[in-house]
Each structure stands twice: as C-alpha cells, then as structure tokens.
C-alpha cells in the first residue's frame, strides 16, 4: 500500500480533477440543522478559492435546495468545476421517493438544470436503483440526456458490481459512487475490482465515516431530530462505545504519522487504488482546509496499513444501516450483517 502522492489528480470519464472533491449534501440535508444560506455560500466560495473543482450534489438534498445553492454560487464560475448531481431519488410531499422511471428521470434533469442555472450537468448519477425498473431502462433514459447535450457523463450510486456491468453495457459509466471508508468496506466485495476493470472511477462518499473520523465526532445522544445518524446502528448505544475505542487507537496512529485523524482516513481511502476519489463533506472552513491538505501529504504506508488493521469490516461494531434501509440498497454487503 503506497502513500498518497502529492496533489494527486485522477480521472472521471473525460474529466481530470483532484482526488478530493466536495460533497455538498450536509449544507442542506440529513445532518442536523443546515447552516444559513450565507454560511453555506461562504463555504462553497472558499472551496473554489482553495482549488476544489469537483462539487457533488443531488436533487434529493434539501429537496432541490442544494442544487439551488450551487446554482447561486457557481454563477460566473461554472466552467471552473466538474458539476455532479443525481436523479432517481427525490423529495415528494416531504418524503424521500426512489423512482427510476425514464419519464421521472427526464423531468428531474430538467428541474436540476434550472436550479443549477446551467445548460449541462457534467456528471449525472442514478442516485439509487429502483427495484421496479430495470437499470437498463433508467440508464437508457439518462443516455438520451447525453445525446440531447443536457449531461456529459453518467454515473451510478450505491449499486453492486453486477448492476454496474449491466448499466455499462447500455452506456459507458464514468463513475460509481458508493460509501467507502475505513469502517465501510463494501466496495472491496466487488465494485472496487469491477470499476478498475471497466475504467470507471470509484467515488467514495462518507469517507470520514459520517463525521466519526474527524476531530469532533458526533455525540449520538445530542444529535437533533432528523439527523440520519440517529437511525444508524453504528451510532447507537449498543455499538458506539466500542467504535469510539477503535477511534481512540486510530487517533494515536494519526499522531504518530504527523497528520490528523481525518487526513489519515482520507489518505487511506485514496490509497486503495489510482481510480478512487473521495467527496468528503463539511460545514467548516477549517475542516475543509484540513481535508484538502491531505493532497500535499505523503502519509507513511505503515500508518495506512495500521489504520486499516484497526478499523475494518471485521472490527467495526454494527451494520452501516438498519435492516429496512439495507434491504433497499443494491450494494454488496460487508461486515456485521451490513
């Protein structure tokens, strides 16, 4: 396992971007109370100033509010970034709905273009596989968006290697975005190898383990209503104390390596293969800069190996989602029933 090369640039389809982008979900969605629009815009403008050129959003995030946020910030700067968004999972009457029907995807794309204030989305993902709709039909509709000039490249999110291969046979898939971190190793059960074979970028979301592998891990008993981590077993009372003990050991490894825990965790993800990228999210300018600094660090291979031995699919306590949520996700399972 090699150290992360300085300022590593990696490819997503026809695009070349730094190995770290920015996941924008928590600026509008899922984690506690969103920041003010002014604070969110400041974070995004700082990211642009710091050289971030890969921004990741979705129709679901804030039920359109996140795309609107990026549309405002990118006005006049659109050509500076690889802009990624997602369809196939949206908010309908206050509820999250998975809908991969072609007519829904076309409608979602048109609304996204309007909110993002752009003529073309660089990378458009199918956010979740709709079990009622063959992936070939969903991807076929997305391929029509490419032909119409509304989208430049296609991606999939949270799907298995088998589904990736089926989709790739319909239209080339530029990126697969799956959860991947020290404590979530599902890609190692198939998609890491399949993406390498097919020439598809593997974009890791939640590479910092939902904030667990940062300088300020969440206190589960203080999470506000609506925070998605309240329903995640790894943050529950039955598992969190044991996971915190593993985190304490990782923090020691990071100190010995001369980096922060977040930097160690990100370096580990990027070290997995040259086609792996990551899109950590943050609301903090300080944490944004801390994360980006990993591109200029050469974390020792011994530290990366030690980190992977401490926290992995065997040592983590609890599955990543509850059973009902796992039943609706197409990825390979890994670790304790997850």
């Amino acid at each position: 396992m090699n150290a992360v090369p300085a300022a590593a640039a990696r490819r997503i389809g026809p695009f070349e971007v730094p190995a770290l982008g920015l996941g924008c979900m928590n600026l509008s969605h899922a984690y506690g109370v969103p920041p003010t629009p002014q604070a969110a815009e400041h974070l995004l403008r700082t990211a642009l100033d710091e050289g971030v050129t890969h921004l990741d959003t979705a129709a679901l995030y804030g039920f359109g509010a996140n795309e609107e946020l990026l549309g405002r910030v990118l006005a006049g700067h659109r050509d500076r970034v690889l802009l990624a968004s997602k369809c196939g999972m949206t908010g309908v009457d206050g509820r999250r709905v998975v809908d991969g029907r072609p007519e829904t995807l076309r409608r979602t794309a048109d609304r996204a273009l309007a909110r993002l204030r752009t003529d073309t989305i660089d990378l458009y993902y199918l956010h979740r596989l709709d079990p009622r709709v063959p992936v070939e039909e969903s991807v076929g509709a997305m391929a029509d968006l490419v032909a119409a000039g509304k989208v430049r490249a296609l991606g999939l999110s949270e799907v298995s290697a088998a589904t990736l291969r089926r989709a790739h046979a319909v239209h080339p898939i530029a990126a697969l975005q799956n959860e991947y971190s020290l404590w979530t190793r599902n890609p190692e059960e198939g998609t890491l190898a399949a993406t390498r074979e097919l020439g598809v970028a593997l974009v890791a979301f939640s590479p910092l383990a939902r904030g667990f592998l940062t300088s300020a891990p969440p206190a589960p008993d203080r999470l506000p209503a609506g925070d998605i981590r309240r329903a995640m077993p790894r943050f529950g009372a039955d598992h969190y104390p044991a996971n915190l003990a593993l985190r304490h050991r990782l923090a020691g490894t990071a100190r010995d390596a001369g980096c922060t825990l977040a930097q160690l965790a990100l370096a580990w993800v990027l070290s997995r293969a040259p086609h792996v990228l990551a899109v950590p999210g943050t609301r903090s300018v300080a944490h944004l800069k801390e994360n980006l600094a990993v591109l200029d660090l050469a974390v020792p291979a011994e530290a990366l190996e030690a980190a992977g031995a401490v926290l992995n699919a065997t040592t983590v306590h609890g599955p990543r989602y509850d059973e009902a949520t796992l039943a609706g996700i197409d990825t390979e399972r890994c670790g304790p029933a997850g």
Side-chain angles (χ1 to χ4, degrees), residues 158-184:
E158 286 282 72
V159 303
S160 65
T163 298
L164 170 62
R165 293 180 189 281
R166 288 170 56 193
H168 196 69
V170 174
H171 186 279
I173 300 299
L176 171 62
Q177 185 174 139
N178 281 0
E179 185 173 359
Y180 195 21
S181 68
L182 281 162
W183 80 355
T184 295

Side-chain angles (χ1 to χ4, degrees), residues 1 179-189 207 209 212-213 234 239 242-247 249-250 253 261 264-265 268-269 272 303-320 333-338:
M1 188 184 302
E179 185 173 359
Y180 195 21
S181 68
L182 281 162
W183 80 355
T184 295
R185 304 294 190 91
N186 302 65
E188 295 172 6
E189 298 300 307
F212 180 72
L213 297 176
R234 291 175 183 174
H239 301 297
N243 287 327
L244 278 178
L246 296 173
R247 182 190 176 281
R249 292 172 58 190
L250 283 174
T253 301
L261 177 55
L264 176 65
W268 182 88
V269 170
R272 305 315 293 166
L304 300 175
E305 184 175 357
V310 170
L311 184 57
N312 55 57
T314 300
T315 63
V316 68
H317 291 258
R320 64 184 182 125
R333 294 202 180 190
C334 183

Side-chain angles (χ1 to χ4, degrees), residues 18 27 46 51 93 99 116 127 133 146 217 230 236 239 244 270 279 299:
L27 297 177
T46 303
D93 296 329
D99 186 346
L116 291 165
H127 205 161
V133 180
V146 176
R230 292 174 65 94
H239 301 297
L244 278 178
L270 298 182
V279 285
V299 179

Side-chain angles (χ1 to χ4, degrees), residues 53-283:
T53 61
H54 174 193
L55 298 177
D56 184 270
T57 183
L60 177 72
Y61 302 162
F63 293 3
N66 200 249
E67 289 181 327
E68 291 176 349
L69 168 66
L70 266 67
R72 293 194 302 272
V73 171
L74 292 178
H77 306 285
R78 175 64 184 87
D79 59 352
R80 294 173 57 183
V81 301
L82 185 166
L83 179 58
S85 194
K86 307 178 191 72
C87 60
M89 186 160 63
T90 58
V92 179
D93 296 329
R95 297 183 302 110
R96 187 187 75 167
V97 173
V98 175
D99 186 346
R101 292 176 297 173
E103 60 269 27
T104 301
L105 303 186
R106 287 191 288 267
R107 183 168 61 248
T108 302
D110 287 339
R111 292 173 177 173
L113 289 166
R115 288 191 289 254
L116 291 165
R117 305 185 189 184
T118 187
D119 296 326
T120 307
I121 297 169
D122 296 316
L123 176 61
Y124 208 38
Y125 291 96
L126 182 67
H127 205 161
R128 289 291 185 276
L129 177 67
D130 184 342
R132 303 163 302 174
V133 180
V135 70
E136 291 85 353
E137 292 186 18
S138 296
V139 172
M142 295 170 72
D144 291 341
L145 296 173
V146 176
K150 296 179 179 182
V151 170
R152 291 193 173 95
L154 300 185
L156 303 174
S157 178
E158 286 282 72
V159 303
S160 65
T163 298
L164 170 62
R165 293 180 189 281
R166 288 170 56 193
H168 196 69
V170 174
H171 186 279
I173 300 299
L176 171 62
Q177 185 174 139
N178 281 0
E179 185 173 359
Y180 195 21
S181 68
L182 281 162
W183 80 355
T184 295
R185 304 294 190 91
N186 302 65
E188 295 172 6
E189 298 300 307
T191 54
L192 183 61
T195 49
R196 180 190 296 112
E197 175 192 336
L198 297 173
V200 176
L202 177 61
V203 179
F205 76 83
S206 295
L208 295 176
R210 313 280 181 174
F212 180 72
L213 297 176
T214 67
S215 59
D221 58 343
R222 298 178 185 173
L223 292 173
D227 192 300
I228 60 174
R229 291 169 293 188
R230 292 174 65 94
M232 292 180 174
R234 291 175 183 174
F235 292 94
D238 293 342
H239 301 297
Y240 199 65
N243 287 327
L244 278 178
L246 296 173
R247 182 190 176 281
H248 179 74
R249 292 172 58 190
L250 283 174
T253 301
R255 283 193 300 271
D256 291 343
C259 63
T260 68
L261 177 55
Q263 289 167 345
L264 176 65
L266 291 172
W268 182 88
V269 170
L270 298 182
S271 74
R272 305 315 293 166
H275 70 292
V276 175
L277 302 89
V279 285
T282 185
R283 298 172 178 175

